[in-house]
Amino acid sequence: PTEYLIKFANECLEEKFENSGLVLQDIVNQAGERLGFDVEYGLYQGSSNTIGYDGIWQFNENINIIVEVKTTDAYRINLDHIYGYKRKLMDREKIPDKASFLIVVGRKDTGDLEAQIRGSRYGWDFRLISVDSLMKLVQLKESLNDAKTVNKISEILCPLEFTRLDRLIEIVFETTQDIQLESDDEIFESIQGREEDEIIEQKSQPKEDTPKKSPVKFQDKCLSLVEKKLNTDLIKVTRSCYQSNDKKQGFLCSISKEHKGKSYTKYWFAFHPYQGEFLNKFSESFIVFGCGSENNTILLPFDVFKQQQDRLWTTEKDGRIYWHVVIYERNGEFEWKIPDNDDFFSLDRYKIIA
């Protein structure tokens, strides 16, 4: 989990044990992976036959970053030497000419190093970030929903010309819109005591006098059960999307509070197109439905979900569309309501037995 990476990074900077700088180099590269880059880990020490970069971060053909990790900025950095990495990498056709540099330093007070970069001929090739801010960027990424927003945030690590601020404002605006997606889901899931056809007709927020209940939070416990069942470790990609440590399996985790009826309990979920795009990237993927608590965790293969998806209700709002998923619990048995023909699909075989 990212909180452990942050803890380890702080230990490298504060305790200064043997080879702490090399450990920090690996942690920084792992942060690059968490931000969605394809990362090539550099050598701990270069030689006459090797190139001494600390890491190469690539995202499609548009973003190529050569990473240099420094525990401190107490000493001047030989920018000519570091820039030589780029020439050698270009000769080996590993990076394009437009590749840039990112220096990651342990301290926030980097005024001397900033001045050195600005005063050099490489001012437009280098960017600088502290380890603390890099980790905050990872945490921000994990709080978002749509990977497309995450990709735009990663552009901040590249040299950008901000005389005109439109591009920066666009990144801020789309990040805010992304966070609003989660609020919309909470509003949808908080509409209690109404039949599904009433939800489709209204497609609106609860009345102002409807008290808003605190959202349920047991997602991590559901995912722990999944890890145990599949014997894998999960890495957080966005707010609700995860991948296995080997990047072969994708997971969407969605949870709902109980909505009590007279003879049943309902659980309501929303499924968004961007979530489908994420799950489709993997050879094997699943949707994890947490119904009321981790004790009712359902691990549904995404292929099974897609077979029923076109038969579900949808809502369109502000140019966005999402699908309604309604799960019923009767006498300890779980059924997914398929409204197209008022059918019920048993989910008991997919429930994880703790």
Side-chain angles (χ1 to χ4, degrees):
T2 296
E3 56 264 29
Y4 280 85
L5 287 184
I6 295 172
K7 174 186 175 184
F8 297 154
N10 289 334
E11 289 178 0
C12 291
L13 296 169
E14 296 170 3
E15 299 183 15
K16 296 182 179 179
F17 52 88
E18 183 179 2
N19 291 329
S20 60
L22 306 184
V23 178
L24 183 64
Q25 178 179 317
D26 280 345
I27 293 173
V28 167
N29 278 320
Q30 179 62 204
E33 287 198 40
R34 301 291 174 93
L35 287 170
F37 290 97
D38 291 326
V39 174
E40 180 178 328
Y41 286 66
L43 300 175
Y44 295 129
Q45 289 182 328
S47 67
S48 58
N49 297 322
T50 60
I51 306 174
Y53 59 86
D54 291 342
I56 298 177
W57 297 2
Q58 296 178 311
F59 185 82
N60 57 50
E61 298 179 354
N62 298 321
I63 301 179
N64 294 266
I65 302 174
I66 304 168
V67 176
E68 185 75 9
V69 182
K70 299 294 182 184
T71 56
T72 177
D73 68 339
Y75 307 97
R76 291 182 67 85
I77 296 176
N78 189 333
L79 298 179
D80 290 315
H81 180 71
I82 297 176
Y83 197 85
Y85 299 158
K86 180 176 180 178
R87 298 191 186 97
K88 294 177 182 178
L89 291 168
M90 288 174 58
D91 290 342
R92 299 185 184 185
E93 298 183 347
K94 296 193 67 171
I95 60 169
D97 177 69
K98 60 182 179 181
S100 61
F101 293 86
L102 179 67
I103 300 179
V104 184
V105 295
R107 294 172 53 188
K108 290 184 179 180
D109 183 12
T110 59
D112 290 343
L113 184 53
E114 293 173 47
Q116 180 189 351
I117 293 173
R118 283 196 299 268
S120 74
R121 56 178 173 163
Y122 306 121
W124 285 107
D125 296 291
F126 282 82
R127 284 299 176 262
L128 187 69
I129 191 171
S130 67
V131 171
D132 180 63
S133 292
L134 181 66
M135 290 303 180
K136 286 179 180 177
L137 192 60
V138 174
Q139 290 178 305
L140 173 62
K141 178 250 190 184
E142 293 178 350
S143 71
L144 298 174
N145 297 283
D146 194 345
K148 293 178 181 177
T149 310
V150 173
N151 298 340
K152 292 187 177 181
I153 288 179
S154 297
E155 295 178 18
I156 296 174
L157 299 177
C158 300
L160 296 173
E161 203 284 310
F162 281 140
T163 301
R164 179 173 176 174
L165 298 176
D166 294 50
R167 183 60 181 148
L168 182 60
I169 297 302
E170 180 183 340
I171 293 174
V172 174
F173 177 77
E174 293 195 14
T175 301
T176 304
Q177 290 291 97
D178 184 292
I179 293 173
Q180 182 62 37
L181 284 173
E182 190 70 14
S183 299
D184 290 345
D185 283 356
E186 290 178 4
I187 291 171
F188 159 73
E189 201 265 332
S190 68
I191 302 174
Q192 301 182 37
R194 304 177 185 177
E195 292 299 323
E196 293 84 356
D197 54 352
E198 293 178 332
I199 301 173
I200 300 303
E201 290 175 3
Q202 292 195 354
K203 299 180 184 177
S204 60
Q205 298 183 6
K207 295 180 180 179
E208 291 184 358
D209 59 354
T210 301
K212 183 177 180 180
K213 294 188 176 182
S214 300
V216 289
K217 296 182 179 179
F218 54 92
Q219 188 178 53
D220 289 346
K221 294 180 180 179
C222 293
L223 292 167
S224 294
L225 292 176
V226 173
E227 289 179 317
K228 183 177 180 180
K229 179 177 178 62
L230 299 181
N231 191 28
T232 189
D233 293 319
L234 301 183
I235 294 177
K236 192 171 187 177
V237 179
T238 61
R239 181 192 290 265
S240 58
C241 294
Y242 296 74
Q243 66 184 22
S244 59
N245 199 35
D246 60 8
K247 301 181 181 179
K248 294 181 179 179
Q249 295 174 310
F251 300 83
L252 165 65
C253 186
S254 186
I255 60 177
S256 169
K257 64 173 71 74
E258 293 181 343
H259 301 279
K260 292 286 188 181
K262 293 182 179 179
S263 59
Y264 54 78
T265 301
K266 285 183 186 178
Y267 305 95
W268 293 338
F269 308 87
F271 182 81
H272 296 271
Y274 66 84
Q275 295 169 334
E277 292 175 7
F278 171 80
L279 293 174
N280 276 323
K281 295 178 182 178
F282 300 89
S283 57
E284 186 178 30
S285 53
F286 301 86
I287 301 180
V288 182
F289 291 115
C291 300
S293 76
E294 71 276 10
N295 296 323
N296 300 321
T297 299
I298 295 170
L299 182 64
L300 183 69
F302 186 47
D303 286 342
V304 175
F305 178 86
K306 287 190 290 187
Q307 293 172 9
Q308 306 293 340
Q309 186 173 357
D310 290 340
R311 303 168 64 193
L312 303 178
W313 282 322
T314 61
T315 289
E316 294 188 34
K317 181 180 179 181
D318 299 330
R320 300 195 301 261
I321 185 173
Y322 58 86
W323 289 264
H324 296 245
V325 179
V326 184
I327 295 176
Y328 280 68
E329 179 187 359
R330 295 185 179 91
N331 300 319
E333 297 182 354
F334 290 83
E335 297 177 310
W336 174 17
K337 184 171 183 179
I338 310 299
D340 183 44
N341 57 358
D342 203 26
D343 192 13
F344 285 89
F345 182 90
S346 176
L347 296 172
D348 287 341
R349 78 189 81 172
Y350 305 110
K351 186 173 180 291
I352 297 179
I353 307 300

